[in-house]
């Protein structure tokens, strides 16, 4: 159609499922997937969403000249979705328990993505793990496990999964206050046991929980880099729960992408 504006192209980082020990069929393969709710949340604003697969320079299958830098140049923005723990080794620590090893393969892939999109001055929005990954990419660290290392924290991960919610408060004078029309707090869906410990370079806090856990961050640099610990993509599912309408966050990200 003449005059139709090109849709914004947003990349979505992949969740990586590694082959299961003793697995057969599809369980013996490496899977790269996206969570439907994240894609649909972004697509609610007529956005073209494309999953960015990891690029293995010296892989055992087919080599390619395509690099993650090519995706950063082609796409208008990046969303980092949730998933596995960030490996403590990514911020210079050893796992306190074996189950907190995280996924070093995914870390390397997403850290490179963050680097390339920041170099290209393309906007980045991190969700849950994505926010933690941004902080680590900028030299920060995480609590490997809130109940162990920050016992004053409330229950940020429960069997209720996507029905677990709590209130966050926006930092006065921050961007979130502006984006959310002067609002000071909101109820959000929370599913995590790790959280930001030491802030990365140029990282400022935009929201906190009543227990002091960092709930939203922003990079005070030359491009839009922002993360939230909660899951805005789940909020539309439970509109009856008086959850925070996260449309302003999506609009701010897409405005930067335009």
């Amino acid at each position: 159609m003449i005059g139709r504006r090109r849709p914004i192209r947003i990349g979505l980082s992949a969740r990586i499922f590694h082959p299961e020990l003793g697995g057969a069929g599809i369980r013996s393969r490496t899977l790269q997937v996206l969570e439907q709710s994240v894609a649909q949340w972004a697509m609610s604003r007529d956005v073209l969403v494309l999953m960015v697969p990891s690029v293995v320079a010296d892989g055992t299958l087919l080599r390619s000249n395509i690099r993650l830098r090519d995706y950063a140049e082609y796409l208008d923005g990046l969303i980092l979705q949730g998933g596995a723990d960030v490996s403590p080794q990514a911020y210079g620590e050893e796992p306190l328990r074996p189950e907190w090893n995280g996924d070093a393969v995914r870390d390397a892939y997403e850290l490179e993505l963050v680097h390339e999109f920041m170099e290209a001055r393309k906007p980045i929005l991190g969700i849950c793990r994505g926010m933690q990954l941004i902080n680590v990419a900028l030299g920060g660290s995480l609590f490997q496990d809130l109940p162990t290392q920050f016992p004053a924290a409330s229950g940020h991960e429960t069997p209720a999964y996507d029905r677990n919610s709590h209130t966050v408060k926006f930092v006065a004078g921050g961007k979130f206050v502006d984006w959310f029309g002067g609002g000071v707090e909101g109820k959000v869906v929370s599913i995590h046991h790790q959280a930001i410990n030491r802030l990365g370079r140029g990282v400022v806090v935009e929201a906190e929980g009543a227990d002091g856990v960092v709930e939203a961050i922003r990079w005070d640099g030359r491009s839009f880099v922002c993360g939230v610990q909660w899951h805005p993509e789940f909020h539309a599912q439970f509109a009856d729960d008086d959850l925070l309408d996260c449309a302003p966050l999506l609009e701010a990200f897409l405005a930067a992408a335009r």
Side-chain angles (χ1 to χ4, degrees):
M1 181 183 299
I2 297 176
R4 181 184 178 186
R5 186 170 62 180
R6 175 181 70 78
I8 298 173
R9 297 186 290 233
I10 298 299
L12 186 60
S13 67
R15 286 184 176 227
I16 301 178
F17 290 88
H18 301 283
E20 296 180 11
L21 184 63
I26 195 69
R27 296 181 185 277
S28 69
R29 313 299 296 175
T30 298
L31 305 179
Q32 299 187 18
V33 304
L34 58 81
E35 188 167 340
Q36 178 175 276
S37 56
V38 179
Q40 290 186 335
W41 181 60
M43 292 166 66
S44 67
R45 293 298 186 272
D46 297 327
V47 169
L48 188 62
V49 173
L50 301 95
M51 189 181 77
V52 181
S54 64
V55 175
V56 182
D58 297 308
T60 57
L61 297 178
L62 299 176
R63 297 190 181 187
S64 171
N65 290 323
I66 295 297
R67 297 291 181 265
L68 293 179
R69 178 175 301 174
D70 297 311
Y71 285 97
E73 292 175 356
Y74 176 76
L75 297 170
D76 301 311
L78 173 70
I79 295 177
L80 300 167
Q81 60 179 326
D85 289 351
V86 175
S87 172
Q89 293 181 335
Y91 45 92
E93 297 181 9
E94 291 298 320
L96 298 177
R97 292 174 61 172
E99 57 266 38
W100 302 335
N101 278 329
D103 187 343
V105 173
R106 182 175 172 187
D107 293 344
Y109 148 67
E110 289 190 315
L111 286 169
E112 185 178 352
L113 268 179
V114 169
H115 171 76
E116 295 296 353
F117 273 78
M118 289 181 71
E119 280 293 309
R121 299 194 184 188
K122 302 289 183 71
I124 302 172
L125 175 61
I127 295 173
C128 195
R129 167 196 159 89
M131 182 189 85
Q132 298 168 4
L133 196 285
I134 288 170
N135 188 62
V136 170
L138 291 168
S141 69
L142 306 177
F143 290 112
Q144 294 186 33
D145 180 65
L146 282 173
T148 302
Q149 297 179 289
F150 195 166
S154 58
H156 291 264
E157 181 182 48
T158 75
Y161 191 60
D162 58 4
R163 300 307 299 255
N164 184 49
S165 61
H166 62 83
T167 298
V168 300
K169 293 187 177 181
F170 302 144
V171 173
K175 292 288 187 181
F176 275 51
V177 173
D178 291 338
W179 294 343
F180 286 87
V184 296
E185 65 178 34
K187 188 178 176 184
V188 301
V189 169
S190 173
I191 313 165
H192 65 102
H193 79 104
Q194 295 190 321
I196 287 179
N197 184 358
R198 184 184 68 253
L199 289 173
R201 296 179 299 274
V203 175
V204 296
V205 177
E206 285 283 348
E208 292 183 337
D211 54 8
V213 171
V214 175
E215 294 287 345
I217 60 170
R218 178 178 53 83
W219 181 51
D220 191 18
R222 60 187 182 181
S223 61
F224 182 107
V225 182
C226 182
V228 294
Q229 187 60 73
W230 66 84
H231 286 266
E233 73 275 17
F234 290 160
H235 288 197
Q237 302 172 207
F238 309 120
D240 58 324
D241 284 355
D242 196 28
L243 294 169
L244 179 69
D245 178 3
C246 291
L249 173 63
L250 180 59
E251 292 292 354
F253 168 65
L254 295 179
R258 292 190 185 97

